[in-house]
């Protein structure tokens, strides 16, 4: 029989939730409402005059080839960040779960990157891959590979993907390691006694039991790739060369603060919010069906 908590006062639950609801209203719903209002307006660079234009800003977006190209760039970038980040983190967590000695040191070293700010992570990888003074680029040239993310769009995309994945690995690693340690060892030992090899044990026992964790991290990593990677892109490539790494969130910033087109920037932020919400709904609607709780 399920136990339910009953409050004597009908106002007490609302009082307890008030701080959280206030934070959500102030930092999410109010800015979202402001962005929606500004997307229907057109103002000058200094906000001196405001003109109501309706859906014109949205129509201009679909007629802008640069904006449509940023969709492909964002799809490629977010897919690589989510897939590579989850796969590498899972591999590291499996190794950490098998280590008998030095587990604490190994885990601590893997957690450190999460303490680095995104902008700092972008600068770190920028210095390592700088064409003139970068240690990694020097090693690549010694092997006959001419690295130059300032001129090559593929190299620039690889740079921001590596920086974004490195920054998020620690977060994914913690959840995967906790999930692996919660799996009963008796199940794995029973499969080993039955003759199942390590690879088969992983895919038939371990990975299905990790599906709730994997699904959660998939949603988190997609949101991270769409929003929280702005500082990495800005610090490492500034959307270049050309617009090859100009993802949607960076284009919102560029058009709003550099091109001073606030109406278009607000419209882009609304579209970006709708895309992320739609992707999250789709993931919960279809991907969650394959999750075993």
């Amino acid at each position: 029989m399920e136990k339910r908590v009953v409050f004597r006062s009908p106002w007490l639950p609302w009082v307890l939730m008030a701080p959280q609801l206030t934070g959500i209203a102030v930092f999410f719903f109010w800015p979202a409402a402001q962005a929606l209002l500004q997307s229907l307006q057109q103002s000058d660079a200094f906000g001196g005059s405001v003109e109501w234009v309706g859906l014109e800003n949205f129509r201009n977006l679909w007629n802008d080839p640069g904006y449509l190209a940023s969709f492909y760039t964002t799809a490629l970038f977010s897919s690589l960040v989510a897939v590579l980040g989850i796969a590498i983190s899972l591999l590291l967590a499996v190794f950490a779960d098998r280590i008998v000695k030095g587990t604490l040191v190994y885990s601590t070293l893997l957690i450190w990157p999460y303490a680095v700010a995104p902008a700092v992570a972008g600068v770190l990888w920028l210095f390592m891959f700088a064409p003139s003074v970068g240690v990694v680029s020097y090693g690549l040239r010694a092997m006959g590979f001419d690295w130059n993310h300032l001129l090559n769009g593929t190299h620039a995309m690889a740079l921001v993907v590596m920086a974004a994945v490195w920054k998020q690995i620690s977060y994914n690693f913690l959840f995967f390691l906790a999930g692996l340690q919660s799996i009963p060892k008796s199940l794995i030992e029973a499969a080993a006694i039955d003759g199942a090899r390590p690879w088969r044990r992983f895919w038939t026992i371990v990975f299905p039991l990790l599906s709730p964790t994997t699904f959660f991290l998939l949603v988190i990593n997609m949101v991270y790739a769409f929003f929280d990677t702005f500082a990495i892109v800005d610090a490492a490539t500034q959307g270049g060369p050309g617009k090859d790494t100009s993802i949607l969130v960076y284009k919102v910033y560029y058009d709003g603060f550099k091109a001073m087109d606030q109406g278009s920037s607000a419209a882009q932020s609304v579209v970006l919010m709708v895309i992320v919400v739609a992707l999250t709904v789709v993931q919960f609607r279809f991907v969650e069906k394959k999750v075993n709780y």
Side-chain angles (χ1 to χ4, degrees), residues 222-231 247 249 269 272-273 276:
M222 289 298 294
V223 175
Y224 162 76
F226 270 88
F227 288 106
D228 295 342
T229 53
F230 160 77
I247 58 178
V249 67
S269 66
L272 180 59
M273 179 178 63
V276 173

Side-chain angles (χ1 to χ4, degrees), residues 16-273:
L16 296 176
M17 292 189 300
Q20 183 68 20
L21 294 176
T22 302
I24 294 175
V26 171
F27 295 105
F28 179 77
F29 287 109
W30 175 251
Q34 287 290 101
L36 182 60
L37 176 62
Q38 292 178 2
S39 68
L40 303 175
Q41 300 174 339
Q42 187 65 47
S43 61
D44 60 15
F46 302 99
S49 61
V50 178
E51 178 184 358
W52 182 268
V53 295
L55 299 177
E56 183 178 348
N57 288 322
F58 294 95
R59 286 193 293 267
N60 293 335
L61 290 180
W62 307 124
N63 295 326
D64 182 7
Y67 182 69
L68 298 179
S70 67
F71 272 92
Y72 170 76
T73 303
T74 305
L76 176 63
F77 174 77
S78 58
S79 300
L80 290 174
V81 169
V83 173
L84 291 177
I86 290 176
I88 296 174
S89 302
L90 178 57
L91 180 64
L92 294 173
V94 170
F95 288 155
D97 189 49
R98 293 182 178 181
I99 293 177
V100 178
K101 296 182 179 180
T103 305
L104 182 60
V105 177
Y106 181 77
S107 302
T108 303
L109 292 175
L110 285 173
I111 294 171
W112 276 357
Y114 192 64
V116 178
V120 176
V123 172
L124 287 174
W125 283 81
L126 175 63
F127 274 112
M128 287 192 297
F129 283 87
S132 57
V133 297
V135 175
V136 179
S137 61
Y138 176 81
L140 292 174
R141 282 197 305 272
M143 293 186 293
F145 186 85
D146 187 17
W147 172 276
N148 193 336
H149 66 272
L150 300 176
L151 300 176
N152 191 305
T154 303
H155 295 176
M157 177 60 71
L159 174 62
V160 293
V161 167
M162 287 187 291
V165 169
W166 177 80
K167 175 67 177 69
Q168 190 69 2
I169 276 180
S170 300
Y171 185 87
N172 301 336
F173 169 79
L174 286 174
F175 281 91
F176 275 131
L177 184 60
L180 287 170
Q181 292 177 346
S182 66
I183 296 176
K185 301 299 181 184
S186 58
L187 296 177
I188 302 175
E189 292 172 356
I193 294 174
D194 290 339
R197 295 183 176 275
W199 187 253
R200 184 171 180 80
R201 294 199 299 267
F202 176 80
W203 284 112
T204 58
I205 298 176
V206 177
F207 191 70
L209 292 176
L210 283 177
S211 57
T213 304
T214 306
F215 173 72
F216 166 76
L217 290 177
L218 177 62
V219 176
I220 293 298
N221 278 261
M222 289 298 294
V223 175
Y224 162 76
F226 270 88
F227 288 106
D228 295 342
T229 53
F230 160 77
I232 294 176
V233 174
D234 185 48
T237 63
Q238 295 185 346
K243 300 294 181 181
D244 288 338
T245 58
S246 181
I247 58 178
L248 289 174
V249 67
Y250 185 80
K251 190 166 180 16
V252 170
Y253 156 77
Y254 184 89
D255 289 353
F257 291 92
K258 291 189 175 182
M260 302 304 291
D261 190 352
Q262 297 179 4
S264 176
S265 177
Q268 292 176 42
S269 66
V270 172
V271 172
L272 180 59
M273 179 178 63

